[in-house]
Amino acid sequence: MSQAMKRGVALAAVVASMLCVVGLLCLSGCAPQSAAGDQDKGGKDDAAVQVAWSSDSDCTSCHAMEASSMTDASYLCATHEQQGSTCTTCHIDDAALSDVHENATDLTKTAKKLKKTEVAESVCLSCHDNGEIKAATADLALLTDDNGKTVDPHDLPTNAEHEVIECASCHAMHSAEGADEQATAKCLSCHHQNVYECHTCHS
């Protein structure tokens, strides 16, 4: 084969390769495209949708653990739910709730506990009479320290440390721990030697 023919064949091969590349680019340009991040490995559309929280929102769609506790009789919130309470019966701080949901989307992997919001004692006392509660626990010996001193969890001595203890400190609605366990743990978080008398550890 002559040099001219060899050059012609080589040129034809180059042109054919270029045409293939151009053809593939054209075909790929016509194929349906998805924006980056719209498809996950399973092929599901995972475009994030902003969650617009309001007091009418279905909290259970994200807060699965709390939702399950509302139907389990071993949780305090199940008792309240049976009596007609909803999430927003107790969680009434709309401003704080709006703030913590500001960047939430339907793709949020795990909805976190509401650490930035609180259930105020006034919410509990709007249904539970304070006098009746104190009377019910006046003779309760649940909180007895190693020296035999007993305190009423609803009539604690007045001091700055006790001022921060509210109903939800010992009555966590979404916890499987009973109030007796929660109250004991709350006391021991300060009275770590299990001695309730003041100034026995720190002077």
Side-chain angles (χ1 to χ4, degrees):
M1 182 182 289
S2 69
Q3 280 298 93
M5 286 182 71
K6 286 181 182 178
R7 272 186 256 147
V9 169
L11 182 59
V14 170
V15 170
S17 296
M18 289 176 64
L19 287 173
C20 285
V21 170
V22 170
L24 287 172
L25 289 173
C26 288
L27 287 174
S28 67
C30 295
Q33 302 295 307
S34 62
D38 284 352
Q39 300 273 328
D40 65 16
K41 292 179 182 175
K44 280 176 60 181
D45 184 2
D46 68 351
V49 176
Q50 191 73 31
V51 174
W53 182 87
S54 76
S55 58
D56 299 321
S57 296
D58 177 14
C59 307
T60 63
S61 63
C62 295
H63 295 275
M65 188 281 285
E66 288 79 4
S68 66
S69 69
M70 293 179 76
T71 58
D72 185 334
S74 62
Y75 290 79
L76 283 174
C77 61
T79 304
H80 289 73
E81 194 268 344
Q82 289 167 4
Q83 295 173 353
S85 295
T86 65
C87 302
T88 52
T89 301
C90 298
H91 298 283
I92 63 171
D93 191 347
D94 286 355
L97 288 166
S98 295
D99 183 51
V100 297
H101 287 92
E102 186 176 351
N103 296 315
T105 71
D106 61 341
L107 298 180
T108 303
K109 298 293 181 192
T110 303
K112 296 178 180 176
K113 288 186 177 182
L114 298 174
K115 293 180 180 177
K116 294 184 180 178
T117 67
E118 296 179 355
V119 175
E121 189 162 283
S122 59
V123 172
C124 302
L125 295 179
S126 67
C127 294
H128 300 280
D129 181 82
N130 199 23
E132 289 178 8
I133 293 170
K134 286 184 177 181
T137 59
D139 299 322
L140 189 68
L142 168 69
L143 300 179
T144 303
D145 70 9
D146 287 346
N147 292 339
K149 181 178 177 62
T150 299
V151 296
D152 180 352
H154 296 118
D155 193 18
L156 297 174
T158 303
N159 59 41
E161 288 78 10
H162 290 159
E163 286 297 317
V164 299
I165 298 175
E166 295 194 329
C167 302
S169 300
C170 303
H171 298 275
M173 296 289 103
H174 301 292
S175 172
E177 278 190 322
D180 52 347
E181 297 170 281
Q182 294 178 49
T184 300
K186 185 64 180 177
C187 293
L188 291 176
S189 68
C190 292
H191 298 280
H192 50 86
Q193 297 295 325
N194 199 25
V195 175
Y196 294 156
E197 291 180 64
C198 295
H199 309 298
T200 54
C201 297
H202 306 281
S203 56

